[in-house]
């Protein structure tokens, strides 16, 4: 079946603009995660959604970052008033349930803030 | 703060040689996973080892886990140029959900 998809694949934006990144998880996967990866570094956890439970937002770096997910479908990550330090690859992953399973990653969105 | 720390940061070998990457972590874990990333984009899951397991194999991959030392190693045998990628370990803490904490990764280059 189809894997995790993300759009856009690349986004260039000017400092101060808002951006919205989209993630389509694998159908039936109840858990969804967002990560940020700066150049040459590992992945930083941002936010976790599990079904209709309250999301774990503990990784969001500032109040400029927010994410939404309706049920077990698409999620959007919004960054308001983008800064140059927001430049990174944003990765989304999903798992069948919110337990200790392997995560299935999308190809990521490369965000460049000029 | 990062949980997993890989070493070496970079590794360069010839085809046919074995590649060993190490990962250390700080807190109790439920499981440890290794992922591969090509060209800085999506990650691919390689292998998961649970805290009560000591060794696991998958094809040319061998993973060990030493919970007393809070460390793991990934061995790729008979490496190929196509193994060139970045490799990350990620730990899932005991209790709670599968929130993975990733290390900074090892960049492996396999030369023909």
């Amino acid at each position: 079946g189809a894997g995790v998809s993300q759009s856009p694949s690349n986004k260039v934006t000017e400092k101060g603009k808002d951006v919205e990144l989209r993630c389509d998880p694998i159908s039936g996967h109840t858990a969804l995660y967002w990560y940020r990866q700066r150049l040459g570094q590992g992945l930083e956890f941002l936010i976790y959604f599990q079904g209709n439970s309250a999301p774990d937002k503990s990784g969001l770096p500032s109040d400029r970052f927010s994410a939404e997910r309706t049920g077990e479908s698409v999620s959007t990550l919004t960054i308001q008033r983008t800064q140059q330090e927001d430049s990174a690859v944003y990765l989304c992953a999903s798992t069948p349930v919110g337990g200790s399973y392997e995560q299935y990653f999308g190809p990521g969105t490369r965000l460049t803030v000029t | 703060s990062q949980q997993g720390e890989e070493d070496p940061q970079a590794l360069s070998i010839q085809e046919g040689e074995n590649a060993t990457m190490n990962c250390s972590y700080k807190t109790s874990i439920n499981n440890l996973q290794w992922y591969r990333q090509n060209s800085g984009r999506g990650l691919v899951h390689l292998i998961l080892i649970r805290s009560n397991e000591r060794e696991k194999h998958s094809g040319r991959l061998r993973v060990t886990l030493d919970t007393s030392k809070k460390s793991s190693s990934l061995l790729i045998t008979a490496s190929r140029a196509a193994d060139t990628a970045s490799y990350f370990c990620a730990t899932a803490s005991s209790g709670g959900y599968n929130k993975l904490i990733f290390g900074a990764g090892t960049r492996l280059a396999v030369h023909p």
Side-chain angles (χ1 to χ4, degrees):
Chain A
V4 177
S5 62
Q6 293 186 246
S7 61
S9 56
N10 288 284
K11 176 72 176 178
V12 180
T13 190
E14 291 180 354
K15 178 181 172 181
K17 301 275 185 166
D18 298 352
V19 294
E20 194 171 277
L21 312 180
R22 176 186 169 110
C23 172
D24 282 88
I26 293 172
S27 178
H29 281 197
T30 60
L32 186 148
Y33 309 77
W34 282 98
Y35 296 91
R36 177 172 71 179
Q37 184 180 30
R38 292 197 165 110
L39 186 64
Q41 298 186 21
L43 279 68
E44 301 171 68
F45 167 80
L46 295 177
I47 189 168
Y48 161 76
F49 295 93
Q50 168 57 42
N52 293 316
S53 302
D56 178 349
K57 304 179 182 180
S58 61
L60 295 179
S62 77
D63 59 7
R64 297 186 295 105
F65 288 71
S66 62
E68 292 184 348
R69 187 185 188 200
T70 303
E72 297 178 2
S73 61
V74 169
S75 176
T76 55
L77 176 69
T78 301
I79 308 173
Q80 296 178 310
R81 304 182 302 281
T82 52
Q83 304 295 313
Q84 288 188 329
E85 63 262 27
D86 299 334
S87 295
V89 175
Y90 289 83
L91 291 155
C92 172
S94 68
T95 61
V97 293
S100 296
Y101 292 99
E102 65 178 275
Q103 295 187 9
Y104 295 80
F105 282 83
T109 293
R110 185 179 302 279
L111 175 65
T112 304
V113 182
T114 61
Chain B
S1 61
Q2 286 191 338
Q3 167 81 307
E5 297 288 341
E6 288 97 334
D7 85 273
Q9 291 185 329
L11 182 60
S12 181
I13 60 174
Q14 297 296 125
E15 263 191 328
E17 293 180 342
N18 296 340
T20 300
M21 290 160 266
N22 302 297
C23 169
S24 60
Y25 58 92
K26 296 174 182 165
T27 63
S28 296
I29 62 170
N30 179 291
N31 67 71
L32 185 145
Q33 303 177 32
W34 285 90
Y35 287 81
R36 166 193 167 127
Q37 183 179 42
N38 289 81
S39 305
R41 299 307 285 261
L43 277 72
V44 174
H45 181 266
L46 296 176
I47 198 163
L48 181 154
I49 186 164
R50 300 191 188 282
S51 60
N52 61 354
E53 297 176 309
R54 292 296 168 258
E55 187 170 313
K56 205 160 183 182
H57 297 256
S58 177
R60 293 183 297 113
L61 306 180
R62 172 179 170 252
V63 168
T64 62
L65 179 65
D66 187 334
T67 53
S68 67
K69 295 181 179 178
K70 292 188 168 56
S71 68
S72 173
S73 68
L74 170 67
L75 169 67
I76 304 174
T77 60
S79 62
R80 306 165 181 168
D83 294 329
T84 295
S86 290
Y87 293 82
F88 295 90
C89 72
T91 53
S93 297
S94 301
Y97 62 88
N98 196 28
K99 174 180 172 179
L100 294 181
I101 307 297
F102 285 80
T106 293
R107 292 179 297 283
L108 173 66
V110 182
H111 303 284

